């Protein structure tokens, strides 16, 4: 008799556990389905909030004093200005390669980054400069980069105050999948024997699944003598 009672309790116990496990499995499946539907709806939107990106970015423009006090060595780029895009004296920060092997970008969306292993103004190479098109809530320095066209002028002020002007000869959007291959072109001058500059920014549609925009905008210009 006592054995039968214990067996009944054991059966009831496992039934309850089975019910709880079933409920948890159903909850996990429903959550996964909801997340898939949510990300599918966000996929391809022009601008979506990237929470992981927003935790690192600064969306406050530097003050006039902070810009004026910014200095670099005499032979390095200090400021970037583009009248066409209403960019005036954006600070040019030296940047390297991040842990993913990608060109780093400044934390402040109003600054631009100069790859320090690329050319320097006035020395005949190709300057490689990148910048954000925006953060989670605010548009960045290169928000309108795709609007640049042939003949528009990009101005670089060097650390010693010397001014260098580059005339745009090419502006194109490249898919994310092809952008790494295109970098081999971006670091070269578009006109043999001419010093040049290449500006890079994200553009196109946002991919929530990949956590990035699906295209890169490349603007290339040559030094105006």
């Amino acid at each position: 008799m006592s054995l039968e009672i214990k067996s009944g309790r054991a059966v009831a116990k496992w039934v309850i556990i089975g019910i709880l496990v079933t409920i948890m499995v159903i909850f996990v499946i429903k959550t996964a389905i909801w997340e898939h539907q949510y990300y599918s709806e966000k996929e391809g939107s022009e601008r979506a909030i990237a929470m992981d990106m927003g935790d690192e970015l600064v969306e406050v423009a530097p003050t006039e004093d902070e810009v004026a006090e910014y200095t670099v060595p005499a032979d390095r780029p200090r400021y970037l200005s583009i009248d066409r895009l209403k960019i005036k004296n954006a600070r040019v920060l030296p940047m390297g390669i991040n842990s993913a092997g990608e060109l780093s970008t400044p934390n402040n969306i109003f600054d631009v980054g100069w790859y320090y292993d690329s050319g320097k103004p006035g020395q005949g190479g190709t300057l490689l400069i990148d910048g954000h098109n925006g953060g989670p809530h605010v548009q960045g320095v290169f928000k309108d980069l795709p609007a640049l066209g042939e003949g528009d002028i990009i101005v670089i002020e060097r650390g010693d105050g010397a001014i260098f002007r580059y005339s745009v000869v090419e502006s194109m959007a490249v898919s994310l999948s092809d952008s790494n291959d295109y970098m081999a072109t971006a670091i070269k001058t578009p006109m043999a024997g001419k010093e040049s500059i290449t500006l890079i920014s994200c553009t196109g549609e946002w991919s929530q699944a990949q956590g990035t925009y699906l295209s890169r905008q490349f603007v290339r210009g040559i030094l105006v003598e």
Side-chain angles (χ1 to χ4, degrees):
M1 185 69 176
S2 60
L3 181 59
E4 292 175 359
I5 292 174
K6 290 180 180 179
S7 297
R9 288 177 177 175
V11 170
K13 175 182 177 181
W14 284 110
V15 168
I16 293 173
I17 292 174
I19 292 172
L20 291 175
V21 170
T22 301
I23 292 173
M24 290 180 65
V25 170
I26 292 173
F27 174 78
V28 170
I29 292 174
K30 289 183 69 175
T31 300
I33 292 173
W34 177 87
E35 288 183 346
H36 175 74
Q37 291 176 338
Y38 173 79
Y39 289 136
S40 295
E41 291 174 358
K42 292 296 183 181
E43 187 81 17
S45 61
E46 280 295 322
R47 180 170 293 276
I49 295 177
M51 298 306 294
D52 56 339
M53 179 177 68
D55 291 338
E56 302 174 0
L57 294 183
V58 176
E59 298 184 306
V60 179
T63 66
E64 291 185 4
D65 286 343
E66 289 174 331
V67 172
E69 293 168 1
Y70 178 64
T71 59
V72 298
D75 64 340
R76 294 189 175 186
R78 181 187 183 194
Y79 297 130
L80 175 142
S81 299
I82 306 175
D83 286 345
R84 177 80 166 81
L85 304 185
K86 296 181 172 57
I87 299 173
K88 181 176 176 58
N89 289 345
R91 296 182 299 185
V92 183
L93 278 59
M95 307 299 293
I97 302 297
N98 63 24
S99 58
E102 302 167 337
L103 185 62
S104 296
T105 310
N107 288 338
N108 192 309
I109 65 173
F110 297 98
D111 293 329
V112 297
W114 164 68
Y115 179 41
Y116 54 65
D117 277 340
S118 67
K120 296 178 180 179
Q123 295 190 13
T126 297
L127 288 77
L128 202 60
I129 293 180
D130 67 355
H132 293 284
N133 71 348
H137 311 99
V138 180
Q139 292 183 321
V141 62
F142 279 166
K143 63 182 182 296
D144 295 323
L145 190 63
L148 280 185
E150 187 173 348
D152 287 330
I153 299 298
I154 301 163
V155 179
I156 293 292
E157 180 178 329
R158 205 166 57 183
D160 61 0
I163 301 296
F164 299 84
R165 294 178 173 83
Y166 302 83
S167 178
V168 173
V169 296
E170 179 182 87
S171 179
M172 63 184 299
V174 178
S175 67
L176 181 60
S177 59
D178 294 331
S179 60
N180 286 336
D181 290 337
Y182 189 78
M183 286 298 292
T185 298
I187 61 175
K188 298 178 182 178
T189 179
M191 188 176 296
K194 288 282 190 178
E195 179 173 314
S196 67
I197 189 170
T198 297
L199 308 183
I200 309 171
S201 187
C202 296
T203 190
E205 297 177 342
W206 171 263
S207 170
Q208 191 72 33
Q210 297 184 57
T212 187
Y213 290 88
L214 294 177
S215 298
R216 297 292 181 264
Q217 189 74 29
F218 290 86
V219 174
R220 305 169 74 199
I222 58 172
L223 182 65
V224 178
E225 301 296 340

